Amino acid sequence: MIVKSEVLTARGRRTRAALVDAGREAFAMQPLDGVRIDDVCARAGVSHGTFYTYFDSKEALFREVAGVVVGEMFTASVVGPAVSGAPYERIEAANRLYLRAWAANSRLVRMLEQAATTDESFAGLLLELREVFVRRGAEGLRRLQDQGLADPTLDPRLTAIMLGGMVEHFAHVWLDLGEHADEAAAVDLLTKLWARAIGLTPTSTSPPDWSSSRSAASPPHPTEPPSPPDADPLEPPR
């Protein structure tokens, strides 16, 4: 019987955490098919039988590891209060932080993507994990639209998915496939492309005239209550 995490004792939580850490190390070194449960148990210092107290399979452990990794990437790419409140500067900071978070976890992310091509449960997990980035980006774009700083004809969710995909794909090509690029130059260009796509300029502080970009087929974003002055501006989704 699998023991649910919410009913674990302190010792049980430590054992489960040790298995997750051990699984993360193992998955970072070998493909999913190459990882053996006995190897994970040896790394965690537990018996083979103990593993099945907490996880019913190697795949279940990998799902847990993937969730931890994506959660860390999300946290690592959050722009804190130390960065200026100017939207352009915060997008730039978020892009930089995301690339660095990707560099630390790219193998495990790509392993999840590969597993998702053949297993519907992994595909669902991948969509769930990416949703947190998409939601953050869409909410940020809505705030900028409400403030009159971003093109109101853009669909926030689809824009977040597309622009986030641009940054994620570049991270893969640059960090996984070896495309040569200087980090500062890459972040600068990504930010320019992102900002231009939503109609934001580095010095945007007042609403531009969007009348020329509107059409009957692209109505402006519905009016929502404006964000308070200290609300976080847009941060790129992934």
Side-chain angles (χ1 to χ4, degrees), residues 63-179:
R63 291 187 187 93
E64 181 76 12
V65 170
V68 170
V69 167
V70 173
E72 290 178 359
M73 291 179 68
F74 181 84
T75 300
S77 61
V78 171
V79 179
V83 177
S84 164
Y88 191 94
E89 293 181 12
R90 294 184 69 83
I91 292 173
E92 181 178 49
N95 280 327
R96 181 180 299 105
L97 291 172
Y98 179 79
L99 291 180
R100 293 176 180 177
W102 182 280
N105 299 287
S106 63
R107 180 178 175 84
L108 286 169
V109 175
R110 285 303 169 191
M111 190 180 293
L112 174 59
E113 290 179 336
Q114 182 177 7
T117 63
T118 58
D119 188 314
E120 289 186 2
S121 65
F122 282 122
L125 175 62
L126 182 60
L127 289 174
E128 289 176 12
L129 296 177
R130 278 187 166 148
E131 178 63 23
V132 297
F133 292 103
V134 172
R135 188 182 306 119
R136 181 175 71 181
E139 290 171 353
L141 178 53
R142 288 191 186 98
R143 285 196 293 271
L144 292 179
Q145 288 174 321
D146 291 339
Q147 295 164 12
L149 299 179
D151 185 345
T153 68
L154 298 175
D155 179 286
R157 178 174 176 81
L158 289 180
T159 301
I161 292 172
M162 293 175 183
L163 292 180
M166 171 189 71
V167 180
E168 181 178 332
H169 183 68
F170 171 74
H172 170 55
V173 172
W174 180 39
L175 297 167
D176 299 336
L177 302 183
E179 176 68 24

Side-chain angles (χ1 to χ4, degrees), residues 4-25:
K4 294 183 178 180
S5 58
E6 60 266 25
V7 298
L8 290 176
T9 63
R11 181 178 178 182
R13 288 193 294 270
R14 290 194 297 271
T15 301
R16 191 175 191 278
L19 284 167
V20 172
D21 289 343
R24 183 170 182 169
E25 292 175 2

Side-chain angles (χ1 to χ4, degrees), residues 161-207:
I161 292 172
M162 293 175 183
L163 292 180
M166 171 189 71
V167 180
E168 181 178 332
H169 183 68
F170 171 74
H172 170 55
V173 172
W174 180 39
L175 297 167
D176 299 336
L177 302 183
E179 176 68 24
H180 177 72
D182 174 74
E183 181 190 272
V187 169
D188 179 64
L189 183 53
L190 281 172
T191 305
K192 285 180 180 176
L193 293 173
W194 185 293
R196 289 175 182 175
I198 66 172
L200 180 73
T201 67
T203 57
S204 290
T205 56
S206 60

Side-chain angles (χ1 to χ4, degrees), residues 11 14-15 17-23 25 37-51:
R11 181 178 178 182
R14 290 194 297 271
T15 301
L19 284 167
V20 172
D21 289 343
E25 292 175 2
I37 291 177
D38 284 340
D39 294 336
V40 173
C41 293
R43 288 175 182 273
V46 302
S47 68
H48 187 92
T50 297
F51 176 92

